[in-house]
Every structure is written in structure tokens, then in C-alpha cells.
């Protein structure tokens, strides 16, 4: 029996709408079941990939940078010489010195403890990734000796606007002496957002030279290092930087500094995918029940096929191909719809939020009229910016998509195995005698 004849029979089984309409409805239901189980799996896969990439990218571009070097005893270190030696490495795009300390930022309207960072004036021009993730909602990136840049979250909490005077207060405790308080005055030149609330809670920038004059007796400066691809050969690049830098420096990669955060995000993604794959397994069982019904309703046809020369393996393989065909059609539909929704996930989320908020507003309005009160409804948000990114980056990992598609087909074939074996074991003599 040729493969063409087997494929033809599997095709006829899948499209036998006129011969058995009830069976065709079950086949259609199995296809829809596979598609509906794949849609949330694809959406979860792409959304988690986008969230992990978006959060990680912001941390390594604005927080820890790709690599970080620091000398515990800076002494008379020539940082310009250190930076030039690091820049000689082929993979390195930029290196710069910065200072980071904790201080109190305050105005007449409020105060807040933040982690303030002293950066070079020209860093915004040289670092394209900094420009991408540091978006200014008011003002611009100006770092002279009198300017300070605050995140929108900090500026709101202390009631500061562009052009206002902002003060910082630091505390230094010399050995054997009382605490020394150092106030400093700045003018707010820019308000920005990173797109991630957790970073916005602590982000503030001043000029490096001014920061050095304020924090000179505290902790030593850092050297921030940016490379072409921070995800590629991290250990190899780390070894190159250590070889090109003074022996007194400790060098760390972003992966080590953000290990806990990165791993927690990865574990969350794996748990979600595990749950979605379980749903896909349940949907594949529907294929098994459909195939069993197909075998029971086609006993006579199977007996005739065996009597004209079809072997047990041919019959079993035909039904396996039928289950495979159901899996292919359902998987293609599920993948297409899942990818389409993932591509427009931000628009869909905002649309759902608007619809829900309209109904909430109407509900609160009616309640206020009936109770004669003047309460206000709080806006509903699916992706709370306090915990998530403001916008979900859409990133498609085609290797993962192909893997999910293959898993779906594998489950479809596995679910068809027992019904196919049962079909191949049917004895034509007994069936034909009964008919």
C-alpha cells in the first residue's frame, strides 16, 4: 500500500462531512479545542518574553549597566586611563565613571529618600540605549553643575516641576567624629520615565563632577561598561575586562548583579508555560475521543479496506495521519490567532481597560445619584504600572514558537496512537459477518 493512498484515506476521513455529520462536528471540535488551547499559550509565551526582556533591558541599561568595575581603595587611580584601557577591548562600546549614593531629595512641598547617580555630561549623546529607555516627559537631559534630573514618580512625590529649586541632603560620618550633613541646591532641568515603576522610584541624576564634590569622602566611584551584545559570552567578556583593568578592581557582570531578579522572572515564565501546556494536553485528549468515535463509526469501512489488502500497519498509520492532520490544522489556527493577538496586545489591553472603565464610571455615577454622594471611581488597569511595564514589548522567539508547534503536533499524534492501534486490530471477518 503506497503512502499516497494512505494520505488520501486520511484526507477523506478528515473531510467526511457528508458521510457522517456528527463525526465531522467532533473533528471540527477537536480542531477548535487545539486552537483555543494554543492561543493563550502563545500569548503567555510572547508576553512573558517581552516583559522579561523589557524589565531586564531597563535594569542593565539604566541600573547595573552591562558590566561594573570598582576599586574598594581608589587612592590616586587615574580613571581616564582605566576607561581608555577598557575601551580598547573590541566588544566594548562605551565605558564611563559614575558615582551612586543614597540621599534625601526635598522641596518645600515634600521629601523622599532616593538613590542619586552622578553621570558624565555627554553620556546621553554617546549612549543610544540610554536615550531609548530614558524618555523625558518634561524638560531635557542637561547635566551641568547646577542641574538635577528626576523621574516622574519622584518629582510628583516631592511636588517639583521643571525650573523649580530642588535640594539634596547627605550624611557623612567621619571616623571618631559626629555626623556631617551636607545640603546642596539644584535646579530641576528634566523629568523622565524609564517605563518601569520600580526604577522610577529611585532614579535621579546629577553631574559627575558635582556628585564627586558632594560624596568625595564616602564610597569610591564605579566604572560602567557597555558592550555590543550584553547577552553573548558574558564570562568571556568579563575575563577580557579583568585582564585589561588594574588588579585592584572588582568586575561584575549584569547577570551576577541581577541574578535573583532574572531567575525569578524565568521561573515565573516556566510555571505559566507548564500550566498552559497542561491545558494543551487536556485539549489533545479531545482528539483521542474523536478518533475513538471515528474508529467505532467506521468499523465496516475498515473491514472492507483490510479485505482488499490494507494491512494492520496501513490502517493504524492512516488513523495516526488523521490525528496528525487535526493537530496541524488546529495548531496553525491557534498559532496564527495567538501571534496576531500578541502583536496587538497593548492595543487590546488598552481597549479592554477603556470599556471596563466606561462601565465602572456609569456604575459609580448611578450609585452617587441614588445615594446622593459625590464619590469618584478609581480607574481600572489590567497592567498596573506599579508592578509591570507601561507598555509590553512584543518580541517573537521563533525557536520557541516552532517548539510549541512541534509539541502540539506530538501531543496530537500521541492522543491518536491508541485509537489507531485499535483500528488496526479490528478483525474484518467478525465485522462483515455482523453486517
Amino acid at each position: 500500500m503506497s503512502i499516497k493512498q494512505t494520505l488520501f484515506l486520511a484526507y477523506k476521513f478528515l473531510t467526511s462531512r457528508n458521510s457522517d455529520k456528527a463525526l465531522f462536528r467532533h473533528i471540527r471540535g477537536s480542531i477548535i479545542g487545539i486552537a483555543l488551547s494554543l492561543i493563550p499559550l502563545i500569548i503567555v509565551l510572547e508576553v512573558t518574553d517581552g516583559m522579561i526582556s523589557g524589565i531586564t533591558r531597563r535594569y542593565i541599561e539604566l541600573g547595573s549597566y552591562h558590566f561594573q568595575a570598582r576599586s574598594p581603595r581608589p587612592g590616586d587611580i587615574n580613571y581616564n586611563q582605566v576607561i581608555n584601557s577598557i575601551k580598547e577591548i573590541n566588544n566594548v562600546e562605551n565605558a564611563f565613571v559614575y558615582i551612586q549614593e543614597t540621599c534625601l531629595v526635598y522641596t518645600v512641598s515634600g521629601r523622599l529618600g532616593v538613590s542619586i547617580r552622578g553621570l558624565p555630561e555627554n553620556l546621553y549623546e554617546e549612549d543610544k540605549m540610554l536615550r531609548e529607555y530614558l524618555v523625558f516627559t518634561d524638560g531635557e537631559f542637561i547635566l551641568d553643575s547646577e542641574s538635577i534630573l528626576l523621574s516622574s514618580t519622584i518629582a510628583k512625590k516631592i511636588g517639583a516641576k521643571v525650573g523649580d529649586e530642588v535640594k539634596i541632603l547627605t550624611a557623612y560620618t567621619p571616623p571618631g567624629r559626629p555626623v556631617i550633613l551636607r545640603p546642596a541646591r539644584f535646579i530641576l532641568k528634566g523629568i523622565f520615565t524609564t517605563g518601569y515603576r520600580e526604577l522610577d522610584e529611585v532614579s535621579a541624576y546629577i553631574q559627575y563632577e558635582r556628585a564627586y564634590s558632594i560624596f568625595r569622602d564616602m564610597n569610591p566611584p564605579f566604572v560602567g561598561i557597555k558592550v555590543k551584545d550584553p547577552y553573548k559570552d558574558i564570562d568571556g567578556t568579563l575575563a577580557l575586562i579583568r585582564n585589561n583593568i588594574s588588579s585592584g578592581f572588582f568586575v561584575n557582570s549584569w547577570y551576577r548583579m541581577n541574578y535573583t531578579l532574572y531567575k525569578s522572572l524565568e521561573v515565573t515564565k516556566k510555571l505559566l508555560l507548564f500550566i498552559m501546556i497542561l491545558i494543551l494536553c487536556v485539549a489533545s485528549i479531545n482528539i483521542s475521543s474523536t478518533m475513538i468515535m471515528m474508529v467505532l463509526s467506521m468499523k465496516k469501512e475498515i473491514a472492507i479496506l483490510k479485505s482488499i489488502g490494507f494491512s494492520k500497519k496501513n490502517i493504524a498509520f492512516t488513523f495516526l495521519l488523521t490525528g496528525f492532520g487535526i493537530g496541524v490544522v488546529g495548531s496553525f489556527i491557534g498559532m496564527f490567532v495567538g501571534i496576531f493577538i500578541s502583536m496587538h496586545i497593548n492595543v487590546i489591553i488598552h481597549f479592554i481597560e477603556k470599556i471596563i472603565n466606561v462601565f465602572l464610571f456609569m456604575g459609580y455615577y448611578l450609585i452617587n445619584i441614588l445615594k446622593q454622594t459625590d464619590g469618584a471611581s478609581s480607574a481600572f488597569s489590567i497592567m498596573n504600572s506599579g508592578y509591570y511595564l507601561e507598555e509590553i514589548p512584543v518580541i517573537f522567539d521563533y525557536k520557541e514558537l516552532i517548539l510549541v508547534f512541534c509539541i502540539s503536533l506530538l501531543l496530537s499524534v500521541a492522543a491518536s496512537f491508541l485509537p489507531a492501534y485499535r483500528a488496526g486490530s479490528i478483525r474484518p471477518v467478525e465485522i462483515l459477518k455482523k453486517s
Side-chain angles (χ1 to χ4, degrees), residues 102-107 109-116 150-159 166-169 200-204:
T102 302
C103 65
L104 182 72
V105 176
Y106 63 98
T107 64
S109 302
R111 59 184 181 273
L112 186 69
V114 302
S115 176
I116 198 163
L150 299 177
S151 71
S152 55
T153 303
I154 296 173
K156 184 178 180 181
K157 287 184 176 180
I158 66 173
V166 176
K167 300 177 183 179
I168 70 169
L169 182 66
D200 284 351
E201 291 281 356
V202 295
S203 297

Side-chain angles (χ1 to χ4, degrees), residues 77-140:
I77 293 176
N78 186 338
Y79 279 95
N80 288 329
Q81 184 177 351
V82 171
I83 288 170
N84 289 333
S85 64
I86 294 173
K87 287 182 176 179
E88 291 176 358
I89 303 171
N90 291 331
N91 192 30
V92 172
E93 285 192 332
N94 194 16
F96 52 91
V97 61
Y98 71 95
I99 291 176
Q100 181 169 326
E101 290 291 345
T102 302
C103 65
L104 182 72
V105 176
Y106 63 98
T107 64
V108 293
S109 302
R111 59 184 181 273
L112 186 69
V114 302
S115 176
I116 198 163
R117 186 170 292 192
L119 297 178
E121 292 183 29
N122 59 348
L123 184 61
Y124 196 72
E125 298 175 1
E126 295 179 351
D127 193 335
K128 63 179 182 180
M129 300 307 294
L130 181 66
R131 294 195 300 270
E132 180 177 344
Y133 292 113
L134 205 66
V135 180
F136 282 84
T137 57
D138 195 9
E140 56 184 324

